[in-house]
Amino acid sequence: MRLVFANKPSPQSLLIYPVFSKEKVSDPALARLIKNLRETKEFNGGDGQIFYIYDSPLKTTQRLVLVGFGKSTKLKTSSIMSAFGAAIKTA
């Protein structure tokens, strides 16, 4: 796997998107998706949660990994590192 950091992902790329529990997401397509996942209790943005989507609702990428960070007030550097590490392993 080739890991590239970019501001504008290609349609074939994988986007890793951080989500905090009980906080809104700015992108409308992602907001709808995360709202549905929260309602069905599949993903709520809890610390360490990972949810992989093969057919993303975003126009910029096909694959999407949602990474839960829990409450934004309790965010730690170690949580960020372990969550993104787990997301990359999932990919």
Side-chain angles (χ1 to χ4, degrees), residues 1-84:
M1 171 175 41
R2 185 171 161 232
L3 182 61
V4 177
F5 295 94
N7 290 334
K8 294 184 179 180
S10 72
Q12 296 82 25
S13 66
L14 168 77
L15 177 65
I16 299 174
Y17 194 90
V19 179
F20 292 100
S21 61
K22 300 182 182 179
E23 290 192 22
K24 293 184 179 182
V25 176
S26 60
D27 183 88
L30 269 179
R32 283 190 300 275
L33 172 68
I34 292 170
K35 180 182 176 209
N36 290 339
L37 292 172
R38 285 177 174 157
E39 287 173 356
T40 59
K41 298 182 182 179
E42 293 178 81
F43 178 84
N44 65 10
D47 190 25
Q49 271 193 314
I50 296 179
F51 195 86
Y52 192 89
I53 299 164
Y54 292 96
D55 191 16
S56 165
L58 303 176
K59 294 178 183 178
T60 55
T61 185
Q62 286 180 320
R63 296 174 296 154
L64 174 66
V65 176
L66 301 176
V67 179
F69 283 112
K71 294 181 180 181
S72 61
T73 56
K74 295 186 178 185
L75 185 63
K76 296 179 183 174
T77 304
S78 59
S79 298
I80 295 170
M81 293 172 59
S82 62
F84 276 100

